[in-house]
Amino acid sequence: MTPRVWAELDPQALRHNLAQVRARVGSARIMAVIKANGYGHGAVWAARCLRELRGPGQEGRRAPWEADAFAVACLEEALALRAARVQAPMVILEGVLSVEEARVCLREKLEVVVHDHWQLALMEELPRGAEARIWIKIDSGMRRLGFPLEAVPAVLERLQARPEWKLCGAMTHLASADEDADSALLQAQRFDTALGGARLPRSIANSAGVLADDTLHRDWVRPGLMLYGMSPRGDQDAAALGLRPVMTLHSRVLAIRDCVAGDAVGYGGTHVCQAPTRVATVAVGYADGFQRALSNCGSMLLHGQRVPVIGRVSMDMTAIDVTALPAAAVGDVVTLWGEGLPAEEQARAAGTLAYELCAGLTQRVHLQSRAAASDQAALSEAVARY
Ligand SMILES: *Cc1c(COP(=O)(O)O)cnc(C)c1O
């Protein structure tokens, strides 16, 4: 089959970006965030790229591009990774929804975030002696998840009342580290005050926190977006931060037609040609994750040149103006974002974020790793061994 829309994935870029994080955070450990199918890149693919496969008892030293742990949003995501033999430490950021889920976490050695009293009560329903792995989450100002600051001492006491539980650490999440370092530092201060002298590993920084201030790095950082080579900041692009895009999304030209002045392109005729215009129809639409908000404002890359999206993005197709490219032909490969056209820029045009573009890719998009043939062979051999 000839793929219609495909994401070309660069494992070297992913490893490079993790090593860049490592260089910034010194001795802090890295929990690579691979929720939402690795921000659309494939969680299993990302996990395999970021950990050398090792058998039991072969732990040894890690390479600078290796993650110390992974983080996902929910149990379902974690189980998909365990089913693919990703045995690395793994944290469930939203924690569990039932005692049954808590039991599965025990069996699969998953680390559970406990962010509220109802979750603590669920964990307490586990049998005595069950060695749960727990992160406590504290609300230091984002007002989304986490125990209130004043509840922390009592919660710590309840956690310590179960000596069989392993307290992996305490975490909080930053609301505005991408644009307001002071607010991030204030959150960190509240977090520290709430924890007092409690001796457990601390984790504060997402990608924006990693970049905002070294004092946010602490024991564990939790980067997501930057690992995939995208910038969480509006004022600094990924290249300036030393990051390389991991995904380059492609499609193909399906048809080309010459329009005359007055022709209206696509549903609703929202683009009216002002002059003779060469219009190429590309095989990508919002059912692939090329969002309808890119209508009349997005762009694509064809023959290395930026061309504008014209008219409405429809479910399966999108029109571009290729008047400037007389050599454009049916079958040509088009870049939708990635190398040469940052997803951040495309997102800005649509009034959204690169997070949403990548995480919004659908099942219809083929994920293809660019791994060298030798890497591929080594990988499948290693996978087959376990
Ligand atoms: C998604 C998430 C992250 C990663 O955020 P990025 O902005 O992608 O780096 C870190 N921590 C928590 C709790 C998250 O939910």
Side-chain angles (χ1 to χ4, degrees):
M1 206 169 50
T2 311
R4 191 178 139 273
V5 184
W6 67 103
E8 193 181 341
L9 303 171
D10 182 350
Q12 299 312 329
L14 183 61
R15 290 176 169 182
H16 164 87
N17 297 333
L18 191 131
Q20 290 291 109
V21 174
R22 176 104 39 222
R24 283 178 187 271
V25 304
S27 61
R29 280 177 289 173
I30 300 176
M31 188 187 295
V33 180
I34 55 172
K35 63 191 179 190
N37 200 27
Y39 292 47
H41 295 64
V44 169
W45 175 81
R48 287 190 180 150
C49 288
L50 294 178
R51 286 283 278 213
E52 200 77 80
L53 280 169
R54 293 178 174 83
Q58 301 182 311
E59 279 303 295
R61 270 175 70 88
R62 305 217 159 271
W65 49 262
E66 281 189 279
D68 299 288
F70 294 112
V72 293
C74 57
L75 178 60
E76 192 176 6
E77 293 181 340
L79 290 181
L81 286 152
R82 287 291 192 248
R85 301 178 195 189
V86 176
Q87 298 303 346
M90 200 174 298
V91 181
I92 301 182
L93 293 171
E94 290 180 2
V96 291
L97 299 173
S98 63
V99 189
E100 291 69 44
E101 287 203 353
R103 285 200 198 96
V104 176
C105 290
L106 282 176
R107 189 188 75 212
E108 299 293 336
K109 299 190 166 35
L110 295 164
E111 300 177 11
V112 182
V113 169
V114 171
H115 62 72
D116 201 338
H117 284 100
W118 67 264
Q119 277 189 329
L120 185 51
L122 279 186
M123 299 307 288
E124 285 171 340
E125 283 183 51
L126 290 173
R128 286 269 160 188
E131 294 173 358
R133 300 160 195 232
I134 295 180
W135 285 82
I136 168 179
K137 178 147 186 179
I138 299 171
D139 180 1
S140 62
M142 183 153 175
R143 318 302 284 135
R144 193 177 67 171
L145 286 188
F147 289 99
L149 300 169
E150 61 280 7
V152 171
V155 171
L156 285 176
E157 230 169 85
R158 264 170 81 179
L159 292 169
Q160 280 150 3
R162 302 282 292 242
E164 68 270 32
W165 286 358
K166 180 182 176 217
L167 272 187
C168 304
M171 68 167 72
T172 193
H173 197 47
L174 299 172
S176 313
D178 53 331
E179 46 195 22
D180 182 0
D182 288 344
S183 79
L185 294 173
L186 183 63
Q187 279 194 260
Q189 199 179 67
R190 292 191 193 121
F191 176 68
D192 287 335
T193 307
L195 283 166
R199 286 163 51 108
L200 71 178
R202 299 183 186 199
S203 175
I204 299 176
N206 54 0
S207 297
V210 165
L211 299 169
D213 196 291
D214 292 357
T215 66
L216 299 170
H217 297 161
R218 306 302 172 91
D219 302 296
W220 281 92
V221 293
R222 310 188 307 270
L225 192 74
M226 68 188 298
L227 295 180
Y228 306 99
M230 293 174 279
S231 169
R233 300 179 65 104
D235 61 347
Q236 268 176 312
D237 65 20
L241 295 168
L243 303 170
R244 286 164 38 190
V246 174
M247 170 192 295
T248 303
L249 189 65
H250 300 287
S251 180
R252 297 173 197 280
V253 173
L254 268 185
I256 293 196
R257 66 202 62 248
D258 290 304
C259 294
V260 298
D263 280 355
V265 178
Y267 282 122
T270 59
H271 176 88
V272 179
C273 299
Q274 298 303 305
T277 305
R278 222 159 164 248
V279 177
T281 302
V282 178
V284 68
Y286 56 76
D288 302 288
F290 196 79
Q291 296 187 7
R292 193 165 176 275
L294 290 162
S295 299
N296 286 308
C297 65
S299 44
M300 296 187 193
L301 213 55
L302 179 55
H303 298 185
Q305 208 166 305
R306 254 330 141 106
V307 292
V309 168
I310 55 174
R312 285 198 186 135
V313 173
S314 56
M315 188 178 280
D316 316 307
M317 283 169 265
T318 300
I320 50 177
D321 179 345
V322 297
T323 312
L325 297 172
V330 167
D332 282 356
V333 172
V334 173
T335 297
L336 308 170
W337 63 69
E339 279 172 6
L341 175 52
E344 298 94 310
E345 264 179 59
Q346 193 75 287
R348 216 170 290 132
T352 184
L353 300 171
Y355 291 89
E356 198 186 6
L357 286 191
C358 291
L361 290 178
T362 68
Q363 292 282 348
R364 231 161 51 170
V365 176
H366 295 238
L367 301 174
Q368 299 185 349
S369 181
R370 199 189 279 168
S374 58
D375 278 10
Q376 288 279 28
L379 207 61
S380 19
E381 195 213 321
V383 170
R385 258 188 286 131
Y386 298 108

